[in-house]
C-alpha cells in the first residue's frame, strides 16, 4: 500500500469537513440592527425566534419560558451605544448590556425589563437580581399586528430620540429613548435680540446671483426658541411654496454673534432636523440685525433679506 504524504491527507480532510463545518441552520437565526440619532449609534444583536404556531406566547397555557427571559433566543440579546442615553427617563451610561425581561410570578406575563452588564449569558441562564442592573417597568400591548419573527426596531425617530419597540406575535413592548443633543436648540434673550423683527427678502439663484421669488419672515423668541415664521411667499413650485408656508423654522445658535443654524419643526416643541451646513448670518449694527444672508453647505447665498420693522 502506498502511503500518502501528511500534507495531502490534510487537504483531503479539509475538503471532506469544510462544507458542513461553517454551516448551521438555526431555528432562531441571528440578526442585528443599528440606528443613529444625532450622532449616537445604538445597536441591538439578537437571535430571532419564530412563533411557529405557538399561542399564547405569554400567560397561563403559554409556551414555557424561563422566569427571566432574554427578548430573543439562544445567547442573550445585547444593546450597545457609545454615548449616554435615557430609556423611559432613566439615564444609562454608554457600553454594552444584555437585555432581560422578568416575568410576573402570578400571571407569567412580562412585567419588568432590565439591563445587565454581563453580556455573555446563555438564554436559559438568566442573571439573578443585582445592584448594577438597570430596571424599568414595562407595558405589554397584546393587540398589535401579528409578527411571526421577533423583531427589535425603532418605530419612530425624533431629533432627540425615538421609540424602540419589541414586536412578536401580537405583542408589543415600547420604550422611549432619548439621546444627548449634539447642539443646543435654545437661545437666550441676549442671543436672539439682534434677529428679532420683520424682514422681507428673496430667494437667490446661486448659479447667477439673481433674485428669485420674494417672501416675508417674522422672527420671534418664544419659550427659549428662536422662530422664523415665513409668510407672503411669492408663487414658487407648488411643493416648495407649501413647504415654506407650513414651515416652523427654528434658528439655533451658530457659535458666533448673529449666526444661526436653521432647523425644521412640524410638531409644537419638537425639532425634527437641522439643515446641515446651512447658516443664517445677520449684519448687526448697534446690536440690531439690519439684514441677513442664508448660505448653503457650498457657501452659496440662497436667500437674502433686510429689516422692515
Amino acid at each position: 500500500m502506498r502511503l500518502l504524504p501528511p500534507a495531502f491527507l490534510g487537504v483531503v480532510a479539509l475538503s471532506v469537513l469544510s462544507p458542513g463545518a461553517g454551516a448551521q441552520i438555526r431555528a432562531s437565526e441571528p440578526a442585528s440592527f443599528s440606528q443613529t440619532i444625532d450622532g449616537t449609534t445604538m445597536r441591538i444583536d439578537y437571535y430571532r425566534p419564530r412563533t411557529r404556531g405557538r399561542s399564547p406566547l405569554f400567560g397561563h397555557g403559554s409556551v414555557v419560558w424561563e422566569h427571566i427571559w432574554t427578548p430573543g433566543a439562544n445567547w442573550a440579546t445585547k444593546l450597545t451605544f457609545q454615548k449616554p442615553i435615557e430609556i423611559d427617563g432613566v439615564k444609562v451610561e454608554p457600553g454594552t448590556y444584555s437585555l432581560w425581561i422578568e416575568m410576573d410570578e402570578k400571571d407569567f406575563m412580562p412585567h419588568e425589563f432590565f439591563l445587565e452588564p454581563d453580556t455573555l449569558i446563555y438564554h436559559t441562564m438568566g442573571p439573578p437580581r443585582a445592584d448594577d442592573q438597570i430596571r424599568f417597568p414595562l407595558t405589554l400591548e397584546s393587540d398589535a399586528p401579528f409578527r411571526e419573527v421577533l423583531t427589535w426596531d425603532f418605530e419612530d425617530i425624533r431629533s432627540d430620540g425615538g421609540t424602540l419597540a419589541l414586536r412578536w406575535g401580537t405583542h408589543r413592548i415600547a420604550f422611549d429613548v432619548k439621546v444627548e443633543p449634539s447642539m443646543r436648540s435654545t437661545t437666550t434673550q441676549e442671543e436672539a435680540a439682534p434677529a428679532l423683527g420683520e424682514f422681507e427678502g428673496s430667494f437667490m439663484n446661486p448659479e447667477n446671483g439673481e433674485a428669485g421669488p420674494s417672501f416675508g419672515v417674522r422672527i420671534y423668541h418664544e419659550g427659549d426658541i428662536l422662530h422664523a415664521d415665513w409668510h407672503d411667499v411669492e408663487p414658487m413650485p407648488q411643493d416648495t411654496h407649501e413647504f415654506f408656508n407650513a414651515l416652523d423654522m427654528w434658528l439655533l445658535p451658530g457659535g458666533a454673534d448673529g449666526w444661526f443654524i436653521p432647523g425644521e419643526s412640524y410638531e409644537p416643541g419638537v425639532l425634527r432636523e437641522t439643515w446641515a451646513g446651512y447658516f443664517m448670518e445677520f449684519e448687526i449694527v448697534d446690536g440690531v440685525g439690519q439684514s441677513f444672508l442664508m448660505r448653503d453647505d457650498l457657501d452659496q447665498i440662497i436667500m437674502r433679506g433686510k429689516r422692515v420693522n
Side-chain angles (χ1 to χ4, degrees):
M1 180 182 295
R2 183 180 178 184
L3 297 177
L4 298 175
F8 181 80
L9 290 175
V11 171
V12 173
L14 286 174
S15 67
V16 172
L17 295 176
S18 291
Q24 184 176 8
I25 298 175
R26 295 179 179 270
S28 302
E29 294 284 8
S32 65
F33 93 95
S34 64
Q35 180 65 58
T36 300
I37 302 177
D38 196 9
T40 298
T41 299
M42 292 155 283
R43 176 187 173 98
I44 289 186
D45 296 279
Y46 65 117
Y47 291 84
R48 305 182 68 183
R50 293 169 288 173
T51 65
R52 290 183 285 152
R54 296 176 289 188
S55 181
L57 289 171
F58 304 113
H60 293 300
S62 69
V63 181
V64 178
W65 308 109
E66 299 297 321
H67 179 62
I68 297 175
W69 171 64
T70 192
N74 300 329
W75 291 94
T77 295
K78 294 186 294 185
L79 170 64
T80 301
F81 47 96
Q82 84 283 20
K83 296 180 181 179
I85 64 174
E86 286 186 11
I87 301 177
D88 285 349
V90 178
K91 188 172 182 179
V92 184
E93 294 301 320
T96 300
Y97 301 83
S98 58
L99 308 183
W100 300 88
I101 289 176
E102 191 162 331
M103 301 295 185
D104 179 274
E105 293 184 2
K106 179 181 178 182
D107 299 322
F108 208 70
M109 299 290 285
H111 83 107
E112 191 173 42
F113 174 75
F114 67 92
L115 278 60
E116 160 65 44
D118 187 359
T119 60
L120 192 60
I121 306 176
Y122 195 62
H123 72 111
T124 60
M125 306 294 288
R129 184 177 288 268
D131 292 339
D132 57 356
Q133 293 168 352
I134 304 170
R135 292 180 171 259
F136 316 84
L138 61 79
T139 300
L140 177 70
E141 301 174 19
S142 297
D143 56 357
F146 181 80
R147 188 70 58 88
E148 168 65 21
V149 181
L150 186 146
T151 303
W152 281 98
D153 196 9
F154 270 92
E155 293 183 339
D156 70 77
I157 299 172
R158 310 180 305 271
S159 64
D160 65 345
T163 301
L164 175 64
L166 166 67
R167 294 274 304 279
W168 195 27
T170 59
H171 300 296
R172 174 180 178 269
I173 300 172
F175 306 93
D176 181 67
V177 177
K178 290 185 178 179
V179 302
E180 287 193 339
S182 61
M183 63 179 65
R184 179 166 55 94
S185 61
T186 58
T187 56
T188 66
Q189 186 66 40
E190 183 181 9
E191 290 170 324
L196 301 178
E198 284 276 354
F199 296 80
E200 62 180 20
S202 58
F203 295 91
M204 306 298 295
N205 185 330
E207 295 182 358
N208 56 27
E210 294 182 356
S214 65
F215 58 80
V217 58
R218 180 174 70 96
I219 301 178
Y220 64 98
H221 194 232
E222 183 176 86
D224 295 329
I225 303 297
L226 186 61
H227 298 265
D229 180 23
W230 304 90
H231 56 84
D232 299 329
V233 179
E234 279 193 353
M236 303 172 65
Q238 188 67 17
D239 56 345
T240 307
H241 179 74
E242 293 179 356
F243 169 79
F244 273 97
N245 280 326
L247 176 64
D248 176 17
M249 178 180 284
W250 291 13
L251 300 179
L252 285 60
D257 290 344
W259 282 55
F260 299 93
I261 302 167
E264 299 175 21
S265 171
Y266 291 100
E267 301 174 49
V270 177
L271 180 67
R272 189 178 77 167
E273 65 177 326
T274 57
W275 293 9
Y278 284 64
F279 281 92
M280 196 168 184
E281 315 164 23
F282 287 81
E283 180 188 11
I284 302 174
V285 178
D286 295 331
V288 178
Q290 301 298 323
S291 62
F292 70 80
L293 298 175
M294 176 86 80
R295 297 182 183 273
D296 65 11
D297 53 353
L298 299 177
D299 202 34
Q300 302 175 120
I301 297 174
I302 60 170
M303 295 182 199
R304 64 171 65 245
K306 62 180 181 180
R307 177 178 295 278
V308 294
N309 184 12

